Amino acid sequence: MPGGALPMGRIPVSDVRPLVDGGTRPAKSVVGEEFDVRAKVFREGHDAVNATAVLTDPDGGQHYFAMQCDNPGTSEWSTTVVADAQGWWTYRVEGWSDPYATWVHDAGIKIAAGVDEELMCAEGVLVLERFADAVRGQGADASEIDKGAHALRDTSRPAAHRFGAATSPEIQGLAAIMPLREFVSPSPEYALLVERERALYGAWYEIFPRSEGCHVDPETGLWVSGTFRSASLRLPAIAEMGFDVIYLTPIHPIGTTARKGRNNSLAAVPGDPGSPYAIGSPDGGHDAIHPDLGTFEDFDFFVAEAARNGLEVALDIALQASPDHPWVQTHPSLFTTRADGTIAYAENPPKKYQDIYPLNFDNDPAEAYAEVRRVIQVWLDHGVRIFRVDNPHTKPVGFWQWLIADVALEHPDTIWLSEAFTKPAMMHQLAKAGFQQSYTYYAWRNEKWELEEYGRELAGDGAAYMRPSFWPTTHDILTPYMQYGGPTAWKLRAALAATMVPTYGIYAGYELMEHVARPGAEEQIDNEKYEYKDRQWYLYEPGGPLESRSLAWYLKRLNDIRGWHPALRWMRNLRFHAADDEFVMVFSKSRIVDRATGERDTVIVIANLDPHATRETWVHLDLEALGMATWSSFDAHDHITNQTWQWRQDNFVRLGPDSEPVHVISVRSH
């Protein structure tokens, strides 16, 4: 075609969705996740047109999904599809002429009007004969179609009766599942990457391994670091709360040059452990373990203990180096040398980070790519299949695309979480480059309107390639909302994170509501990044003297709810409903769990976003979006309070600090 244009099919197909960057990047789903395929399909004239979505699995098998016309005026078609195996798939939309539907339409009109009755019956015989041959060609029984053709030939019967026999429910059913298709016109094939469910769904718990089991030596008065062995003792409690992933901040040797002290002070004192993000010392770099934490044997023990408790290990990858990193001597091309001969340290003017050298991927890309790939392989060989990447937006996107794809060749189950609190364009591009999950702006979205707007964005077109991870706080983030909102805010933000999106995470100490900020900063005072933190968990355990001050029970309940409800494992099914109060947000997630019976799992969340006041209001549910008629009633069981009410389309709620800030409702239809 001139100019490289693709030829149009006999039945035009356009505007296929989902489509990522015009089809140059793959769309994504996970095994068993349903999503919609849409397209515009039309033809000239008045003959019937139809459409099918076709998924091709990694072994070449084709899976057909009949499409429905949502809007004849705009030629919009859609269907819900699902891929049942991990790997690289493709999808396309086929437009086709439907001779049987065309005849049914034309003959129905003419025979009812007494026009060309015999001619329409004769033409119907020809169509049904072709239809029967096509059905038999697929190895199916076409006897019902033969009966219809025989009836059309019987001139002794009225034409209307003959037409009825040729459009029987049995024949119409066959037309729905194995139609007579002519002039089949496929769209281009588009890539679909189907990954394991953990790429979409999971509950993360972050720890600094050195803090788990740390203590002050009573004789010396100095801190003694926790180890992998002592940290492993914390795993049963984390698993008991229902978390799926144990995320470790960097575990490598830490430099001493320009080491930061407590609260990010410029001068460290003896005993200050330094930031684990200032990676590298004479003890090694990114491929080594800090000697205080133990050995590789100890790390392997930790990974095995995590697995025994049903947890996967996620490792923090921070591609930066302290001035003491071996790379400074062995791979100087990884760094930027300034005009005065010094190596450039990290800066965010006017801030300076003299304890960290950023990597330069442009001096010698081949060497940089190979060295990082070598490091990643070390941890793959020790059982790590999830990586949380620190500040990936400060490295070339093309590098991440190459690295993630290269690792996937041998380890396709590997998951990468992007910690890119940056401009939307970069955040989205990293997801398109291969990151399975992305940190989000959730921590700073507090108002009803902005949470709804953000939720719709995340559940919309972007869900085809970017999967959000909600974190109410991190070791670097403590927003004013969390500083001053009290226990109500900590419950509320955890509940929203756990139910709005399939993947969420909390940072150790969340259950203790550690809310005091360093003056002038949105981060905790006595930040664990720069010191040991012995939280004395035993005091907060069941039966402990401080048990009532812990939200561990609440986090467990949220994770239990997530486990009970398959609807919460998906993102694209997020729907918002109305409430009269501007501080009360209502959303739902619904999912058909049994196609044969139509059984549906539905969760409704109602949240008072004002942590300081109890609010009473009416909420208005879109019952049709929940698969119910507008006049339906149902039992609304609140998993938080264990109460049950009979609800309808409009319901009164009261939420706030004097009770609970959030209802998490399980819908039990009558």
Side-chain angles (χ1 to χ4, degrees), residues 499 561 565 567-568 575 577 585-590 601-607 619 621-623 626 628 634-639 647-648 651 662-668:
T499 55
I561 293 169
H565 289 287
L568 296 177
R575 301 291 182 270
H577 304 257
M585 183 172 73
V586 187
F587 62 87
S588 68
K589 288 194 169 185
S590 189
D601 176 51
T602 299
V603 175
I604 302 170
V605 178
I606 305 98
V619 300
L621 303 176
D622 179 356
L623 293 184
L626 305 179
M628 291 184 278
F634 61 91
D635 289 335
H637 178 75
D638 181 15
H639 284 306
W647 274 19
R648 294 178 175 81
N651 309 281
V662 180
H663 286 321
V664 183
I665 301 293
S666 173
V667 173
R668 300 174 179 175

Side-chain angles (χ1 to χ4, degrees), residues 136 249 299-300 330 495 498 529 549-550 557 612 626 643:
R136 275 190 285 268
T249 54
F299 179 76
D300 292 342
T330 62
K529 236 178 21 171
R549 299 187 188 180
S550 172
R557 175 53 61 94
H612 305 291
L626 305 179
Q643 294 177 285

Side-chain angles (χ1 to χ4, degrees), residues 579-593:
D580 293 341
D581 193 298
E582 63 179 344
F583 284 94
V584 176
M585 183 172 73
V586 187
F587 62 87
S588 68
K589 288 194 169 185
S590 189
R591 169 179 172 180
I592 295 175
V593 293

Side-chain angles (χ1 to χ4, degrees), residues 208-508:
F208 283 71
R210 69 186 183 191
S211 287
E212 303 301 332
C214 69
H215 60 278
V216 175
D217 187 313
E219 295 185 4
T220 66
L222 299 177
W223 279 98
V224 177
S225 175
T227 67
F228 287 126
R229 297 278 174 169
S230 64
S232 70
L233 301 178
R234 178 78 179 134
L235 293 173
I238 295 169
E240 174 62 21
M241 285 187 285
F243 289 94
D244 308 301
V245 177
I246 180 73
Y247 150 42
L248 310 180
T249 54
I251 60 175
H252 315 298
I254 298 170
T256 56
T257 300
R259 173 175 287 189
K260 294 294 184 70
R262 295 186 61 176
N263 286 311
N264 200 26
S265 65
L266 296 178
V269 301
D272 285 345
S275 168
Y277 291 89
I279 297 170
S281 81
D283 292 313
H286 288 73
D287 55 356
I289 289 173
H290 196 297
D292 288 354
L293 295 175
T295 65
F296 273 100
E297 181 181 353
D298 297 319
F299 179 76
D300 292 342
F301 173 83
F302 182 89
V303 173
E305 282 296 291
R308 194 171 66 83
N309 283 277
L311 294 160
E312 290 193 61
V313 173
L315 189 62
D316 205 327
I317 298 298
L319 293 183
Q320 57 202 32
S322 86
D324 306 316
H325 198 295
W327 280 342
V328 175
Q329 302 300 322
T330 62
H331 293 78
S333 69
L334 291 176
F335 305 100
T336 298
T337 302
R338 307 193 71 172
D340 62 1
T342 62
I343 294 177
Y345 50 73
E347 294 186 75
N348 185 13
K351 295 180 180 180
K352 297 182 179 182
Y353 303 94
Q354 296 93 333
D355 61 335
I356 292 174
Y357 289 165
L359 299 191
N360 186 320
F361 285 81
D362 295 323
N363 288 338
D364 189 340
E367 181 182 25
Y369 283 33
E371 180 61 10
V372 174
R373 180 65 180 86
R374 181 191 68 80
V375 164
I376 296 299
Q377 189 62 45
V378 170
W379 304 107
L380 291 167
D381 291 343
H382 284 274
V384 176
R385 291 295 181 273
I386 305 179
F387 296 100
R388 179 266 196 193
V389 178
D390 192 66
N391 290 331
H393 56 290
T394 62
K395 287 80 182 174
V397 174
F399 161 74
W400 294 118
Q401 182 182 27
W402 171 84
L403 178 66
I404 293 170
D406 195 67
V407 169
L409 293 176
E410 293 186 2
H411 303 284
D413 53 342
T414 305
I415 294 168
W416 303 79
L417 169 62
S418 163
E419 189 250 6
F421 295 114
T422 185
K423 296 176 182 178
M426 174 60 83
M427 184 181 287
H428 284 258
Q429 198 66 18
L430 287 166
K432 294 173 184 177
F435 278 94
Q436 282 77 15
Q437 297 177 4
S438 302
Y439 277 70
T440 62
Y441 309 124
Y442 171 67
W444 301 278
R445 299 290 191 266
N446 299 310
E447 301 292 333
K448 176 179 175 178
W449 69 268
E450 58 187 355
L451 279 167
E452 290 184 347
E453 180 181 74
Y454 198 38
R456 291 189 182 98
E457 175 189 330
L458 294 171
D461 293 342
Y465 59 88
M466 191 176 92
R467 305 186 185 103
S469 182
F470 274 13
W471 292 71
T473 67
T474 73
H475 62 260
D476 283 325
I477 299 170
L478 183 66
T479 62
Y481 190 97
M482 306 303 286
Q483 294 174 34
Y484 304 112
T488 301
W490 290 73
K491 281 185 173 182
L492 169 69
R493 297 298 289 184
L496 292 182
T499 55
M500 273 189 76
V501 298
T503 289
Y504 86 110
I506 62 112
Y507 159 48

